[in-house]
């Protein structure tokens, strides 16, 4: 049978675009279908605008610290609306770059919502299109709890729509999105309460990171509401919001409530059942190690699969998939082990490999932990300090490094190179044998005893 396309990527985010561009470079006829703006979550309401806001917040921190070095500097005002305008204009330029790159690679860009009609046919804008292969990369959406008044809150998407800076905000959640946005709000001058269902944030990460982050947040003035689950949200006559819990209402009224309780797969409009596809118990599309679904010619990458929800992971998986399908690299696939990740909290967090808890479970009586806590030299003249804490998790007689967890200034930039070493199987002795670069924060990882 002759198809309209060799590959159609459903979803014009990082994974879908990367897969189509790579396939097209090998001569495949490709299309990308996107119902919103090109670039997906990362470019429009994720990594890119978030990092811009984080840089703004870090700039505010720097201004506050300038007096320690003899500068007569003060933060007199901050214009949230102006920052948003400049940030949005930057994102629009990126949308255009994505469109231009697709055009240069002869990939058709189709705006609309794709729905499967059968295993090789989709319908978009009333038109039916066929493909030999499909790549589903529709990403995820922020989740909202099923409680009365939940609609009065916003999600991370809504955060990027705020035209004006709220004075008081409650961020509800314990994951990386919650702590990142809470940190940005607080550093830019909004009073923040972080509402956590358990007793600490970042429960899926090494326990050291959550402990150190809680100390830092408290020092920054963020109000931590632990072991607290909202039962309803009340909108008051003055337009402000009250959070009710099982033990009563939280103190004070909030200008905004931001839900950051997780994300779910964006599959509602796909008509998966028409293609013989289904989702797992968590609502994500199941794939095997080759990104293949239950249909041999339909593949899926990125957040919609429920695997590591990071933009570089989706890109890497999609490119390797196209290498295999269209360039004869038959063993090409993504290894999901030892994927480094960063949380843009204040200060930043970097982590790769397994946690101390996981190591103790997998390698009982064969784990050795190395830690270092120090004050970065940038704070040598500061009256108050924000300590940096680092941890190496090693296993076996050779002390192979299987986990590296960093909390503190520059953790986001330090981690990349060390992740390469750990992926290559570095041992603690390999770390020790490297001459330290002094004075830096990174040297602590090669001087631990």
């Amino acid at each position: 049978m002759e198809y309209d396309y060799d590959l159609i990527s459903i979803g014009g985010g990082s994974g879908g675009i990367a897969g189509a561009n790579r396939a097209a470079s090998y001569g495949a006829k490709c299309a990308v279908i996107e119902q919103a703006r090109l670039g997906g979550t990362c470019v429009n309401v994720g990594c890119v605008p978030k990092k811009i806001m984080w840089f703004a917040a870090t700039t505010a921190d720097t201004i506050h610290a300038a007096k320690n070095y003899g500068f007569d500097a003060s933060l007199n005002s901050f214009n949230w609306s102006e920052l948003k305008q400049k940030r949005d204009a930057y994102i629009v330029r990126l949308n255009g770059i994505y469109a231009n790159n697709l055009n240069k690679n002869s990939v058709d860009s189709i705006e609309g919502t794709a729905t499967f009609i059968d295993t090789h046919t989709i319908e978009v804008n009333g038109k039916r299109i066929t493909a030999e292969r499909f790549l589903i990369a529709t990403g995820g959406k922020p989740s909202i709890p099923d409680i009365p008044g939940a609609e009065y809150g916003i999600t991370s998407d809504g955060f990027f729509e705020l035209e004006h800076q709220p004075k008081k905000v409650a961020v509800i959640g314990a994951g990386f999105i919650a702590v990142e946005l809470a940190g940005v709000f607080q550093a830019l001058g909004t009073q923040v309460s972080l509402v956590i269902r358990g007793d600490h944030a970042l429960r899926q990460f090494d326990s050291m990171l959550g402990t150190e982050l809680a100390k830092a947040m408290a020092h920054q003035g963020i109000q931590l509401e632990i072991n607290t689950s909202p039962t309803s949200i009340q909108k008051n006559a003055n337009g402000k919001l009250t959070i009710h819990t099982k033990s009563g209402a939280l103190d004070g009224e909030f200008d905004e409530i931001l839900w950051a309780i997780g994300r779910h797969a964006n599959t509602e409009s796909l008509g998966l059942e028409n293609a013989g596809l289904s989702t797992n118990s968590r609502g994500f599309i199941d794939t095997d190690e080759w990104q293949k679904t239950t249909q041999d010619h339909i593949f899926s990458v990125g957040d919609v699969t429920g695997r590591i929800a990071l933009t570089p992971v989706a890109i890497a998986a999609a490119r390797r998939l196209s290498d295999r399908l269209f360039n004869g690299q038959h063993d090409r696939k993504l290894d999901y082990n030892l994927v480094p990740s960063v949380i843009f909290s204040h200060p930043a967090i970097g982590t790769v490999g397994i946690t101390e808890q996981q190591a103790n479970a997998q390698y009982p009586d064969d784990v050795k932990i190395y830690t270092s806590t120090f004050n970065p030299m940038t704070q040598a003249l500061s009256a108050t300090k924000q300590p940096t804490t680092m941890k190496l998790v090693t296993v076996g007689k050779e002390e192979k490094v299987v986990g590296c967890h960093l909390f503190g200034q520059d953790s986001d930039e330090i981690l990349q190179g060390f992740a390469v070493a750990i992926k290559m199987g570095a041992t603690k002795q390999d770390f020790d044998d490297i001459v330290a670069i002094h004075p830096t924060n990174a040297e602590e990882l090669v001087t631990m005893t």
Side-chain angles (χ1 to χ4, degrees):
M1 178 178 176
E2 184 174 345
Y3 300 101
D4 296 321
Y5 292 96
D6 299 311
L7 175 71
I8 290 179
S9 289
I10 304 176
S14 301
I17 289 176
N21 277 334
R22 181 61 62 90
S25 74
Y26 299 132
K29 185 180 181 183
C30 302
V32 168
I33 299 171
E34 173 56 52
Q35 59 186 355
R37 293 182 292 171
L38 289 175
T41 296
C42 178
V43 169
N44 296 294
V45 288
C47 342
V48 175
K50 172 198 70 181
K51 189 68 180 289
I52 290 174
M53 299 302 287
W54 185 81
F55 278 131
T58 302
T59 299
D61 291 339
T62 301
I63 294 171
H64 289 308
K67 62 182 179 181
N68 298 317
Y69 292 91
F71 291 97
D72 181 12
S74 60
L75 181 54
N76 299 318
S77 65
F78 165 66
N79 192 322
W80 179 287
S81 298
E82 181 180 348
L83 174 60
K84 179 183 185 299
Q85 182 181 11
K86 292 179 177 178
R87 186 197 70 213
D88 291 352
Y90 177 73
I91 299 305
V92 170
R93 289 197 295 274
L94 291 184
N95 296 146
I97 290 171
Y98 274 92
N100 288 338
N101 285 340
L102 288 173
N103 184 57
K104 284 191 293 186
N105 291 322
S106 299
V107 176
D108 290 341
S109 179
I110 303 171
E111 183 177 350
T113 300
T115 302
F116 279 102
I117 301 302
D118 58 43
T119 56
H120 283 281
T121 309
I122 57 172
E123 184 172 285
V124 186
N125 303 326
K127 179 182 178 181
R128 295 195 173 187
I129 308 171
T130 61
E132 183 178 6
R133 297 183 176 97
F134 290 93
L135 173 60
I136 302 174
T138 49
K141 293 181 178 180
S143 299
I144 298 175
D146 184 18
I147 62 171
E151 67 275 11
Y152 296 129
I154 62 174
T155 65
S156 56
D157 290 359
F159 170 82
F160 296 109
E161 296 175 0
L162 290 174
E163 294 288 346
H164 304 284
Q165 181 176 9
K167 293 181 179 179
K168 188 174 182 180
V169 167
V171 178
I172 302 174
F176 71 92
I177 295 175
V179 303
E180 288 178 338
L181 298 187
V184 166
F185 268 131
Q186 187 74 25
L188 292 178
T190 297
Q191 178 56 55
V192 177
S193 293
L194 183 63
V195 183
I196 302 173
R197 182 178 58 187
D199 56 7
H200 66 279
L202 304 181
R203 291 186 294 271
Q204 296 180 344
F205 295 82
D206 190 274
S207 60
M208 176 268 285
L209 300 176
T211 298
E212 296 302 317
L213 178 65
K215 295 177 186 176
M217 285 187 155
H219 177 72
Q220 293 156 15
I222 294 175
Q223 180 67 40
L224 296 176
E225 301 284 354
I226 63 172
N227 299 313
T228 301
S229 294
T231 55
S232 66
I233 306 298
Q234 173 186 324
K235 189 167 186 176
N236 304 317
N238 60 3
K240 296 186 182 295
L241 305 172
T242 298
I243 300 175
H244 293 278
T245 72
K246 290 181 180 180
S247 56
L250 294 187
D251 289 339
E253 297 177 314
F254 298 94
D255 298 306
E256 296 285 354
I257 292 172
L258 192 152
W259 300 111
I261 59 173
R263 295 174 66 84
H264 60 276
N266 184 18
T267 59
E268 292 89 345
S269 62
L270 287 174
L272 295 177
E273 66 281 1
N274 298 328
L277 302 174
S278 60
T279 57
N280 61 24
S281 59
R282 298 185 299 145
F284 296 102
I285 296 176
D286 269 329
T287 59
D288 64 13
E289 60 182 337
W290 304 97
Q291 307 301 151
K292 187 175 66 175
T293 67
T294 50
Q295 296 285 352
D296 288 346
H297 67 287
I298 302 178
F299 305 86
S300 188
V301 299
D303 297 5
V304 74
T305 69
R307 291 186 172 182
I308 303 171
L310 296 171
T311 294
V313 171
I315 292 172
R319 286 176 175 168
R320 285 161 174 76
L321 173 66
S322 290
D323 289 342
R324 189 176 79 251
L325 296 180
F326 298 102
N327 198 41
Q329 301 179 48
H330 303 297
D331 297 326
R332 190 80 163 135
K333 63 179 180 179
L334 179 63
D335 179 5
Y336 283 85
N337 294 309
L338 294 174
V339 173
S341 63
V342 164
I343 299 171
F344 289 102
S345 50
H346 286 76
I349 288 170
T351 180
V352 63
I354 61 177
T355 67
E356 179 178 349
Q357 298 89 330
Q358 291 169 332
N360 285 326
Q362 294 179 37
Y363 308 96
D365 305 319
D366 208 18
V367 177
K368 187 170 183 180
I369 303 297
Y370 294 87
T371 61
S372 174
T373 298
F374 61 97
N375 293 319
M377 194 169 176
T378 51
Q379 301 173 25
L381 306 182
S382 302
T384 59
K385 314 291 185 184
Q386 172 56 67
T388 289
T389 301
M390 298 180 173
K391 176 188 285 189
L392 291 178
V393 181
T394 71
V395 298
K397 183 178 180 181
E398 75 282 10
E399 294 188 349
K400 181 179 180 180
V401 181
V402 295
C404 178
H405 311 287
L406 317 176
F407 175 83
Q409 182 184 3
D410 299 330
S411 293
D412 50 324
E413 298 292 349
I414 291 171
L415 182 66
Q416 188 75 76
F418 283 99
V420 174
I422 294 170
K423 184 78 170 180
M424 295 176 68
T427 64
K428 179 62 170 61
Q429 189 62 53
D430 292 324
F431 277 50
D432 295 341
D433 288 342
I434 292 295
V435 176
I437 302 170
H438 180 76
T440 65
N441 296 340
E443 69 178 306
E444 293 291 326
L445 284 173
V446 298
T447 59
M448 289 183 184
T449 57

